[in-house]
Structure formats: structure tokens, C-alpha cells
């Protein structure tokens, strides 16, 4: 059985499990019902089956009803599972033509609240993409060119830039969202410098504070490249870039490497960043660096070399497959296409066991770490239609 046939069969089984599960644990984007709204909408786009569109609309109405009745199932202001995620989904569906709303009016109170929350988070150095101020700024970047949003975003970016740490190594930003440790600098996409610089790139492209942002982005990338090392698969040195740096006893940043190859951590993060900023600044040299990092990752397939142990999106095979699809779409390098096919195959192999043994329990409605994200990856694979749900995960 070839991958397409097996993927269609597996997808049918997954979608039935998702449908039969019932209500999720909360209304958040990456692990709850807002993720399901995206799921239903993307399935509607691909299949044109009306029941998917109806499900998306009805579920969004339920989420708003809970908010209006003071029983929200959202977690604070975050993009991951809070109000910024709600704003993002509503804005996305409006841009797609699925909703007909005046967002400046309908989301005015929400936007003001998020702006105020972001100010607090920036003051406390909670500069996380998934769980802090950068998630709100990312949502605001998607709302441009709304004039009020531009004012909010300009102020927030200015305050973040003023709080940056610049030294002989370059520029980085504190992030106390997960762990209050001013000695550590996270370099990941999910919680660290790679994601922050990619969001700055999106804001730069929208015409906000371009001179300051260009300088900061380059200094941030300079910080990361200080710790790039040569890989050597024979000596089990798999990653070029560290996951984070920690100030040592002598006051110098010491890199800490891992072997994870995933959406959340690892060399994919720097590859995504370099491709993004190469496009942003039309910089051929950055694009060559992205090719170097990304094509080298194709040599890594074992669990030891990748830390891939499950089929989910965040740090599993489905996410690896989707990232190679992104790289292929950007570059048309055939090795990336082969990597995409390989990791789709690995996803299907893992799912065969997961589904038979019901390892997916309590992950039925998860976008980032559950069946929903896998379903959307496989839906794009079997339909050969480009889906855009993963823009919220910094795909572009």
C-alpha cells in the first residue's frame, strides 16, 4: 500500500476519533476548541462539505457564548490557549472570507485588553511567543493595517526593543514566561529568540519601525551564529545550534545543545528563521545559510539524532514532515520533497501503532500535541491543496 492510499485510510480513522470525542478540555487554540474551529474550517475548504463549515461556525458561537456569560474556557491573554488565540482565529476566518465582521468594532475591547496585558508582560520580561507578549504582538501583526492596532503594536515593539540586551555577542531578549532565570537565553522558535525574530520580521514587512527592527534582527541572528558548531554524525554531534545559552561562572554565555529536530526546538528553528529573514531583506547570503542548515538536517533520521518519539506536530513526525514541505515550497530543492515523503511515511507507521493501542487518549482535540494537527498535515498531503492553518505556527 502506497503512502497516499494509507494516508487516506488513516485520515478517515483519525477524523472519526476526533468527531466522536466530544468537547475538548478548554477553548484554547493549540489544545482546545479554537483549534477545532480551524480544523473544521480547513476541512471545509478542502472538501466543500457544508457540515464542516457549520461545525466551525457553531463552535465559534459557543466559545463566544461562554465568554459573554462570564464562563470563558480560555486561559488568560496568551496566543496558545487564551484571548490572543481567539483574536487570531476570528481575524484569520474574516480574512479568509468565512466571517463577515467589522473587526475594528467587534474586537475593540479585546484588542485594548490584550494591549494592556502585553504592556504588563513586557515590563515583567514575559516575552514568550506562545505564552507571553510576543504572541499578542504576532496577533496584532496579523491585524494590520488597522490604524489602532498599528499604534498599539508600535508602542509594544518600542518597549521590547528598549528592554533588549545588546553586548559583544549581539542582541537577545529575556523571557521569564516559563522560568524566571535571567542567566538563560532561549533560542527556540516556541519560546525563544528564533520565534521572536521571525515575529519581528513579520512586523518589519508591515512597515512598523523598520530601521530599528532591521538592526535588531541582524544583531539577534549574530547572537545565534556565535554558538554555531560543526556537526559530526560519527561523533553524535547532530545539532548546529544550541537550544539555549546560560551565563557561566565567568560571566560568559555557555551554549547548551540538544538533539531535538522539531517545530519547537532545534535546527529547524534557525532554518525557518534564516529563510524568513532572507525573504524579508532579500538577502541571498542568508538564504544560502538556510540551505546549509536545512539540507544538513536531512541526514538525521534516527530517534537518537532527532529525539522524535511520537507522530504529533510539536516535536513529532507530522511536524517534521510539514516543515520539510515548507522548505520545499520555498526552495524547490528536491531533497526537501523526499524528506517530506519520508516523514509522512514515518508518521503513518507510528500512527498504526498509536491507533491500535489508543496512545492518543486525551490528545484527540490537540492541534500542537494531538490528533488534530496530524489530521491537518495528512489532509494537505492527500488533497495536494495548500492549507494555511499553520500560519499561527509561523509558517509562511
Amino acid at each position: 500500500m502506497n503512502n497516499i492510499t494509507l494516508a487516506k485510510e488513516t485520515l478517515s480513522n483519525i477524523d472519526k476519533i476526533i468527531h466522536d470525542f466530544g468537547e475538548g478540555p478548554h477553548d484554547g487554540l493549540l489544545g482546545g476548541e479554537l483549534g477545532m474551529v480551524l480544523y473544521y474550517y480547513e476541512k471545509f475548504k478542502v472538501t466543500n462539505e457544508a457540515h464542516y463549515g457549520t461545525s466551525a461556525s457553531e463552535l465559534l458561537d459557543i466559545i463566544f457564548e461562554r465568554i459573554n456569560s462570564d464562563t470563558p474556557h480560555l486561559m488568560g491573554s496568551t496566543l496558545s490557549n487564551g484571548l490572543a488565540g481567539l483574536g487570531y482565529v476570528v481575524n484569520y476566518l474574516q480574512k479568509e472570507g468565512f466571517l463577515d465582521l467589522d473587526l475594528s468594532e467587534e474586537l475593540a475591547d479585546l484588542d485594548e485588553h490584550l494591549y494592556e496585558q502585553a504592556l504588563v508582560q513586557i515590563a515583567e520580561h514575559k516575552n514568550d511567543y506562545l505564552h507571553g507578549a510576543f504572541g499578542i504582538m504576532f496577533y496584532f501583526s496579523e491585524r494590520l493595517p488597522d490604524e489602532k492596532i498599528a499604534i498599539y503594536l508600535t508602542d509594544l515593539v518600542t518597549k521590547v526593543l528598549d528592554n533588549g540586551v545588546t553586548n559583544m555577542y549581539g542582541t537577545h531578549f529575556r523571557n521569564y514566561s516559563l522560568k524566571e532565570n535571567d542567566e538563560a537565553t532561549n533560542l527556540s522558535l516556541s519560546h525563544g529568540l528564533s520565534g521572536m525574530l521571525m515575529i519581528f520580521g513579520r512586523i518589519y514587512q508591515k512597515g512598523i519601525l523598520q530601521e530599528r527592527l532591521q538592526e535588531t534582527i541582524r544583531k539577534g541572528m549574530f547572537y545565534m551564529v556565535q554558538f554555531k558548531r560543526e556537526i559530526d554524525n560519527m561523533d553524535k554531534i547532530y545539532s548546529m545550534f544550541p537550544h539555549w545559552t546560560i551565563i557561566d561562572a565567568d560571566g560568559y554565555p555557555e551554549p547548551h545543545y540538544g538533539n531535538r529536530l522539531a517545530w519547537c526546538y532545534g535546527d529547524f528553528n534557525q532554518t525557518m528563521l534564516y529563510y524568513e529573514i532572507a525573504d524579508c531583506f532579500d538577502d541571498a547570503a542568508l538564504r544560502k545559510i538556510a540551505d546549509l542548515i536545512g539540507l544538513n538536517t536531512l541526514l538525521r533520521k534516527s530517534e537518537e539524532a532527532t529525539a522524535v518519539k511520537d507522530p504529533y506536530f510539536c516535536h513529532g513526525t507530522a511536524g517534521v514532515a510539514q516543515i520539510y514541505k515548507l522548505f520545499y515550497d520555498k526552495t524547490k530543492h528536491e531533497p526537501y520533497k523526499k524528506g517530506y515523503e519520508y516523514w509522512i511515511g514515518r508518521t503513518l507507521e507510528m500512527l498504526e501503532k498509536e491507533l491500535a493501542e489508543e496512545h492518543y487518549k486525551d490528545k484527540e482535540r490537540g492541534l500542537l500535541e494531538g490528533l488534530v494537527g496530524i489530521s491537518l498535515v495528512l489532509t494537505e498531503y492527500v488533497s495536494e491543496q495548500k492549507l494555511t492553518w499553520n500560519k499561527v505556527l509561523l509558517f509562511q
Side-chain angles (χ1 to χ4, degrees), residues 15-34:
D15 287 341
K16 185 178 187 306
I17 292 168
I18 294 170
H19 179 269
D20 291 346
F21 177 72
E23 190 171 302
H26 53 75
D27 286 343
L29 175 54
L30 298 186
E33 299 301 85
L34 281 170

Side-chain angles (χ1 to χ4, degrees), residues 13 102 111:
N13 293 335
D102 182 344
D111 293 336

Side-chain angles (χ1 to χ4, degrees), residues 27-44:
D27 286 343
L29 175 54
L30 298 186
E33 299 301 85
L34 281 170
M36 286 299 300
V37 173
L38 281 186
Y39 164 81
Y40 286 132
Y41 172 68
E42 297 294 314
K43 299 290 281 192
F44 172 64

Side-chain angles (χ1 to χ4, degrees), residues 26-32 34-35 38 79-82 85 88-89 367 392:
H26 53 75
D27 286 343
L29 175 54
L30 298 186
L34 281 170
L38 281 186
L79 181 71
S80 58
N81 288 313
Y88 177 87
V89 169
L367 187 69
V392 73

Side-chain angles (χ1 to χ4, degrees), residues 365-380:
R365 307 279 270 202
L367 187 69
L368 199 55
E369 296 185 68
L371 293 182
V372 172
I374 295 173
S375 174
L376 291 173
V377 170
L378 293 180
T379 296
E380 181 168 358

Side-chain angles (χ1 to χ4, degrees), residues 157-258:
V157 172
T158 298
K159 285 180 168 57
V160 171
L161 294 178
D162 289 346
N163 284 342
V165 179
T166 298
N167 53 35
M168 62 183 290
Y169 295 98
T171 294
H172 65 277
F173 299 90
R174 302 177 183 90
N175 180 18
Y176 297 167
S177 299
L178 298 181
K179 182 179 179 181
E180 293 191 10
N181 180 358
D182 59 3
E183 304 300 318
T185 299
N186 191 306
L187 302 186
S188 74
L189 182 148
S190 52
H191 305 296
L193 191 57
S194 291
M196 294 173 187
L197 296 180
M198 288 182 74
I199 291 167
F200 277 158
R202 305 289 170 91
I203 297 169
Y204 170 92
Q205 289 176 304
K206 299 294 179 68
I208 301 289
L209 296 171
Q210 286 189 318
E211 185 174 342
R212 286 197 71 184
L213 282 175
Q214 182 170 19
E215 179 184 8
T216 298
I217 291 168
R218 290 197 180 278
K219 286 182 176 179
M221 295 172 77
F222 181 76
Y223 181 88
M224 269 191 273
V225 83
Q226 302 304 304
F227 309 104
K228 176 182 171 293
R229 64 179 181 176
E230 295 299 317
I231 61 172
D232 187 335
N233 289 334
M234 294 296 292
D235 285 340
K236 300 182 180 180
I237 299 174
Y238 300 115
S239 296
M240 290 187 183
F241 291 89
H243 291 348
W244 55 79
T245 62
I246 298 178
I247 300 299
D248 65 18
D250 296 320
Y252 298 104
E254 179 183 7
H256 290 254
Y257 298 87

